[in-house]
Amino acid sequence: MTIIENPEIQANLIPILKTVSDPEIPVLSVLDLGVIREAVEKNGIVHIKLTPTYSGCPAMDVIGDDLKTAFSEIGKKTEVKLVLSPAWSTDWISEEGLKKMEKYGIARPLSESHDKDVLLGNKKMVKCPQCGSTNTHLVSQFGSTACKALFKCDDCQEPFDYFKCLK
Ligand SMILES: [Zn+2]
């Protein structure tokens, strides 16, 4: 179990952070995703500490640039630092973020032990984001990106992505 340290985020920076989204799941802001460890303004510069999601996820470079752009639009300079430890986990995604993800059509990550079972096709536990049925099956370990697996619902017949669990 990952212990989530409370990120230090200055309240006045939150509205700007909310405008920066995950390039892969645009409905999720960086705050929903839980990748911001720190956002503090010191001497006119916004210092941001960012923890990457999946290692090698190219989205992080994009997020770093998007943060700089968002703050430069309100005339603020930004310094973005990557913090690799503790490693990001799907536990850091906020409940609001998980709900947005489901509405967007991506099934939310299950717990670690269940994750292995569903990715091996042993258990039917992944909930279809379209109709809510758990009568679903694994089509491919890899969905639209390496971070997701492709599932198909046996009730409504819709294919959908499952966001893999990561601890
Ligand atoms: Zn369905």
Side-chain angles (χ1 to χ4, degrees):
M1 227 9 194
T2 314
I3 293 158
I4 305 165
E5 66 170 299
N6 226 7
E8 195 186 348
I9 298 172
Q10 231 168 270
N12 65 315
L13 303 176
I14 288 175
I16 311 297
L17 292 170
K18 277 190 176 164
T19 67
V20 179
S21 56
D22 176 17
E24 288 183 1
I25 311 173
V27 290
L28 293 187
S29 76
V30 287
L31 291 176
D32 295 324
L33 205 56
V35 293
I36 304 291
R37 310 316 308 149
E38 189 183 293
V40 181
E41 195 174 348
K42 278 180 212 152
N43 308 321
I45 296 173
V46 179
H47 296 266
I48 295 174
K49 286 184 185 165
L50 186 69
T51 298
T53 54
Y54 293 82
S55 58
C57 223
M60 282 304 126
D61 292 339
V62 179
I63 289 180
D65 288 345
D66 287 353
L67 284 167
K68 285 180 189 167
T69 307
F71 282 102
S72 77
E73 275 169 9
I74 56 160
K76 288 188 198 291
K77 272 196 155 186
T78 318
E79 245 175 53
V80 179
K81 259 190 207 162
L82 288 186
V83 179
L84 301 176
S85 176
W88 179 85
S89 109
T90 40
D91 285 347
W92 292 10
I93 304 174
S94 69
E95 184 54 35
E96 200 189 331
L98 292 170
K99 283 187 184 140
K100 285 186 196 168
M101 193 189 278
E102 280 183 317
K103 264 197 191 151
Y104 187 64
I106 297 171
R108 60 164 70 197
L110 294 165
S111 69
E112 192 177 13
S113 54
H114 292 147
D115 194 68
K116 282 188 191 116
D117 275 338
V118 298
L119 291 179
L120 292 171
N122 291 341
K123 269 186 191 162
K124 287 179 183 272
M125 291 185 80
V126 174
K127 207 168 117 186
C128 167
Q130 257 73 242
C131 72
S133 167
T134 49
N135 190 19
T136 60
H137 71 270
L138 175 76
V139 176
S140 163
Q141 294 253 357
F142 297 98
S144 57
T145 67
C147 319
K148 304 184 199 92
L150 184 64
F151 275 75
K152 194 176 178 218
C153 178
D154 294 319
D155 281 336
C156 72
Q157 306 298 323
E158 287 292 323
F160 63 91
D161 273 335
Y162 163 66
F163 200 94
K164 290 182 206 171
C165 159
L166 190 95
K167 304 284 166 180

